[in-house]
Amino acid sequence: MKRIYALCSVLCALFATALPLQAGASRPRSIIQDTEVQSIVQELVEPLARAAGMPAGRLRIHIVRDDNFNAFVMAGEDIYIYTGLIASVESPLAFQAVIAHELGHMMGGHIAQLSARIRSETVRSMIIQALGVGMMVAGGNPSAGMGVVAGGQGVARAGILAFSRDEERLADNHAIDIMVGAGLDPNGLVMILQQMNDMHGAAESMTSQYRVAHPFTSERLQHARERIAQMETRRWPPTDKELQERFNLARAKVVGYLAPLERIATIYPSRDTSNPAIYARAIASMRAGNLADARLGALTLIGRAPANPFFYEFLGDIEYRFGNYDDSIRAYDKSLELRRDSPHIQTALALVLSERRKPGDADRAVEMAKRSLIAYPSPLAYWVLARAENIRGNKGVADWAMAEFYNMNRNAARAREFARRARANLPKDSPEYIKAGELL
């Protein structure tokens, strides 16, 4: 277990919590947990949330490991952003337009409306299908009856898809208003729609508009341009260079860890000497086992930007893979010195401390894991906490932490098993005993 989590979680800095399989998916999607990527996304989202009238901290952002160019909103205030979108969008303004569009769905109450429409169209479809079944049972023309049944299903589908097309147009309108309210250039929506049209326009031109849930991208692009042209002309602030650079680095990190190695060399060729390109290639080198080149890349980045905490985090990952625990811990400590309260970096440090096992390391690993869990509960933090508590001889607390680990990974049977073990070894008035009981 130690080696699996070391290589797939801390060293990749992208520990993932499994999500249920979606229809047709070949593997579970997963939630990406990475301080650098999540922080830039949160920073880009906050002005949009304020412009949409949402209370501070209310909107929850989830980054989903999936190569598709997509984002979606679910009931409540949760937005899911695919890594494929982050990897593909080159401008933070275009990325913000995607989020503004999803906020537009929230503002329009489209999720609840779509659910109601689905129920309405389903009833309508069932009535028509009942008529068709009645024709067959009554001895009428069986083929006609079957035609009515099929037609009922088609009516429902067409009604729901038409409803979706209308909501997409309204969400685009809301997106423009939100971006203007946030003081951002609404042409970010034009940028992302143009990119989408370049990707899908040819295929859409050969598809019937009645068989798709969204309006054609070319139609949305034209509508956005016309609506923006009708607005009062004003000068929009240019994209902040420092913000663009941090977005580029987060994008390079996603590509470096998740894209096929041969594709990384195409996106970031060796002639590209920018920091994002060096970052992506160094991550790819680490993935390929070329630790010397990975370390050289990390040190080059640190030399260029010694105040960037995430370059030290990356160096910590590399030194850990080398087996240089002392150097790894120093790098993580420097990262946390530059960026306090970074739960995923705290978890990484806790894991290395629990593996080095010098005097006092287990105590500090427990401290780091608990700090991480307060800010951002994650399966890996619970796993590291369990490991460190076992080293300290606290079996009951370790079993409770493993119960939480399995609970977060949706393994109910193992969660209950460890919760029972924990309660057998914990004082009945301890917080962990109570929490283990909640799991049972």
Side-chain angles (χ1 to χ4, degrees), residues 230 239 338:
Q230 293 169 0
T239 300
L338 293 168

Side-chain angles (χ1 to χ4, degrees), residues 146-223:
M146 289 298 295
V148 172
V149 171
Q153 296 170 341
V155 166
R157 176 177 169 80
I160 292 168
L161 292 181
F163 173 80
S164 262
R165 289 195 296 271
D166 290 339
E167 298 313 318
E168 288 301 318
R169 296 184 188 97
L170 290 173
D172 283 344
N173 290 345
H174 281 308
I176 292 170
D177 294 338
I178 290 169
M179 294 194 72
V180 170
L184 300 170
D185 187 348
N187 282 293
L189 182 62
V190 173
M191 293 167 60
I192 195 67
L193 289 174
Q194 182 63 64
Q195 184 174 353
M196 290 169 60
N197 193 52
D198 293 342
M199 293 168 61
H200 306 299
E204 286 181 348
S205 66
M206 297 183 288
T207 305
S208 168
Q209 63 176 326
Y210 300 107
R211 298 184 63 84
V212 294
H214 288 56
F216 286 156
T217 308
S218 57
E219 176 189 338
R220 294 174 64 193
L221 178 59
Q222 180 181 353
H223 174 76

Side-chain angles (χ1 to χ4, degrees), residues 211-281:
R211 298 184 63 84
V212 294
H214 288 56
F216 286 156
T217 308
S218 57
E219 176 189 338
R220 294 174 64 193
L221 178 59
Q222 180 181 353
H223 174 76
R225 283 174 171 158
E226 290 174 350
R227 195 167 190 276
I228 293 171
Q230 293 169 0
M231 301 174 68
E232 180 181 349
T233 303
R234 57 186 288 190
R235 297 177 67 88
W236 303 103
T239 300
D240 180 83
K241 290 184 179 179
E242 190 268 339
L243 181 68
Q244 177 73 61
E245 175 70 4
R246 286 190 291 116
F247 180 80
N248 290 345
L249 287 170
R251 176 174 176 255
K253 190 174 197 177
V254 169
V255 171
Y257 278 112
L258 301 182
L261 295 176
E262 61 275 9
R263 177 159 169 71
I264 296 170
T266 301
I267 299 173
Y268 298 103
S270 57
R271 64 178 179 275
D272 186 346
T273 58
S274 66
N275 285 353
I278 293 173
Y279 201 14
R281 291 197 300 265

